[in-house]
Amino acid sequence: MTDILRKAPVPEPLPPDRLPQGEVPAPRRVIAGLVFTELLIGIGFAMPLVASLSLKVNEIAPDAKESVLGTVMAAGAVAAFVLNPVFGHLSDRTVGRFGRRRPWILGGLAAGLPATVVMATASSAAQLMLGWVLAQAAYNAALAALAAVIADRVPATQQATVSGLFGAAQFASVFPAFFLVGLIPDNTAVLLLIPGIAGAAGAAVSWTLLRGEQAVPAGERRPVSLRSIFTSLLFDPRTSPAFTAVWLQRFLLQGANALIGTFGLYYLMSRLEMSTAEAAALVSVTGMFSVVGNVVAAAAFGKLASRTGAYRAFVVASGLLMATAMVIKMLSASVWPIYLSTAVAAIGLGAFYAVDMALVLRTMPTSTDAGRWLGVFNIAKSLPQSIAPLLAPLLLDLGTDPIGPAADGKNYFALYLGGALAALAAVALTPLIRHPRLARD
């Protein structure tokens, strides 16, 4: 494996405390702002995805919960698919004395609150879907602009370290979700409202920490048009194979992770025949255990990747670990393997998110439209949230589960086999990640 990864040699990078002459390190305040804001946005996404949407759907449509949950999540993911690169493109071309990115970050965090109110008060699948689409729009506006701040204000020699911290914050954002789901599993409205309140309350802090962004010079301002918005959604894979490979890897690994997380509650209720309360409690415990592993792995591997420059090795390790976690869960019919699978997946996903941002910043076709390209990259995270919930019911209805009792007749063996194959496919793409900017690290 090491020989394959070294076909395109990567020279030793500079130690993290030494920057090229004339290169200014990112202020600690900005790095803190990136981490804090990613934490707020992550809470906005994590709380519904971990359990509150599942619990709300179970209240609204208990007899068709799998299909309704899949439809609601698919609608939100389609919104994210379209809007993330569009918001990134708009932030690239925003002018004003407050800079390009901060207005979108503040506006997105503030707009999340009314969206969560719509979800919390939903009495039908249609209203819940509307609220989730609005929440996706709000938080993707903030996320698209926030990711571009890394490209704008963090020098290349710090990007792997910051990528790891960014990934750690994303994983840490799941902790409140698991904690609160275990604490108040029956109060779905509160679980849905908390992300909006947290985002709106923290918006002013983010605005302050990320201050110092320069306004776009008059000579570099470019107008926004319907054509530019449409083209912001597209790119030609043939002209940027390395970017495409990184995009596909995130798509495949995020898809595998979506299968674990989205249907985790129903998996425990079916394969292990747990009650809703028992399943929610176990999801809470394993979820918090997973978050610790994710945070530690992302932060540690991000720093290690910054020192070694071996970004691709971390991607390979991540895919293999994710596939292993899928196989363990696929074959499990008792509680203890669930903990083992959680630990393996936590380390694997943490390793990937420690380097994926650093990789995409080096492989995106141009750096002048960072918001647009990072928005396109974020599609690889949001699109699986659309496809996985729609594909999962097909796999769940494919034959019978050969392992567990499957009280509801669902085939979780087939579901997690699909996830394992997706993770291995991500590993197979690694040799395609070659780019001149990687050779300079």
Side-chain angles (χ1 to χ4, degrees):
M1 181 184 74
T2 305
D3 292 338
I4 293 174
L5 295 176
R6 289 179 178 171
K7 283 183 178 178
V10 180
E12 274 191 40
L14 290 170
D17 57 344
R18 287 177 54 200
L19 295 169
Q21 187 173 2
E23 191 169 89
V24 179
R28 292 183 179 180
R29 167 181 51 77
V30 171
I31 295 175
L34 287 166
V35 173
F36 176 75
T37 309
E38 173 63 12
L39 185 66
L40 293 176
I41 297 171
I43 291 172
F45 288 126
M47 191 77 77
L49 292 175
V50 165
S52 59
L53 272 180
S54 300
L55 293 170
K56 188 68 175 180
V57 168
N58 200 39
E59 293 176 5
I60 295 173
D63 296 330
K65 57 182 181 292
E66 290 89 357
S67 60
V68 172
L69 177 64
T71 302
V72 170
M73 294 190 68
V78 169
F81 171 87
V82 174
L83 294 175
N84 196 291
V86 169
F87 285 132
H89 170 69
L90 294 175
S91 76
D92 285 333
R93 303 193 178 198
T94 296
V95 297
R97 66 189 185 92
F98 296 115
R100 294 183 292 176
R101 316 300 183 188
R102 285 201 304 161
W104 292 97
I105 294 170
L106 178 67
L109 289 173
L113 180 55
T116 58
V117 171
V118 174
M119 288 193 290
T121 58
S123 58
S124 66
Q127 184 181 345
L128 183 63
M129 184 187 302
L130 173 62
W132 184 230
V133 167
L134 292 174
Q136 285 279 2
Y139 294 125
N140 272 282
L143 179 63
L146 183 68
V149 174
I150 299 178
D152 294 345
R153 305 180 68 179
V154 178
T157 45
Q158 285 186 297
Q159 284 172 355
T161 299
V162 173
S163 176
L165 294 173
F166 204 69
Q170 183 180 41
F171 291 124
S173 67
V174 183
F175 182 84
F178 285 121
F179 175 77
L180 290 169
V181 166
L183 186 65
I184 48 172
D186 298 325
N187 202 331
T188 308
V190 172
L191 292 175
L192 288 166
L193 284 170
I194 284 174
I197 296 170
V205 178
S206 298
W207 177 269
T208 302
L209 289 173
L210 296 173
R211 70 185 185 276
E213 182 184 10
Q214 299 297 313
V216 179
E220 297 179 14
R221 295 176 183 176
R222 292 167 293 167
V224 175
S225 65
L226 289 176
R227 177 183 174 83
S228 72
I229 291 175
F230 177 75
T231 56
S232 70
L233 297 168
L234 308 173
F235 75 97
D236 187 348
R238 296 170 300 177
T239 61
S240 49
F243 176 83
T244 303
V246 177
W247 191 98
L248 286 171
Q249 284 184 324
R250 176 182 262 205
F251 174 84
L252 291 166
L253 290 174
Q254 187 62 35
N257 187 56
L259 292 177
I260 290 178
T262 305
F263 289 85
L265 187 73
Y266 301 155
Y267 167 83
L268 297 174
M269 294 167 65
S270 174
R271 179 75 76 82
L272 276 66
E273 296 185 306
M274 291 183 171
S275 67
T276 302
E278 290 172 333
L282 184 56
V283 166
S284 174
V285 172
T286 57
M288 289 189 284
F289 180 48
S290 176
V291 168
V292 174
N294 289 149
V295 171
V296 173
F301 291 147
K303 192 169 184 63
L304 184 59
S306 182
R307 290 178 178 274
T308 65
Y311 303 130
R312 287 160 284 202
F314 290 99
V315 175
V316 171
S318 172
L320 294 177
L321 288 169
M322 289 291 291
T324 301
M326 289 287 180
V327 171
I328 294 171
K329 206 161 188 179
M330 181 177 75
L331 301 175
S332 299
S334 58
V335 172
W336 74 263
I338 304 300
Y339 288 99
L340 178 60
S341 172
T342 299
V344 173
I347 296 171
L349 201 61
F352 179 71
Y353 277 90
V355 299
D356 77 320
M357 184 65 71
L359 275 173
V360 78
L361 290 171
R362 285 157 173 75
T363 58
M364 62 185 183
T366 66
S367 58
T368 54
D369 292 315
R372 176 258 177 117
W373 287 112
L374 290 170
V376 170
F377 183 60
N378 281 329
I379 290 175
K381 184 178 180 180
S382 59
L383 188 58
Q385 296 172 15
S386 173
I387 294 176
L390 294 177
L391 177 63
L394 300 178
L395 295 174
L396 288 169
D397 291 332
L398 190 65
T400 58
D401 192 324
I403 303 298
D408 57 2
K410 301 300 181 181
N411 189 354
Y412 283 92
F413 184 94
L415 181 70
Y416 290 113
L417 176 61
L421 293 175
L424 293 175
V427 172
L429 292 168
T430 305
L432 299 177
I433 306 176
R434 301 170 182 273
H435 197 277
R437 268 177 256 171
L438 280 171
R440 290 199 295 269
D441 289 338

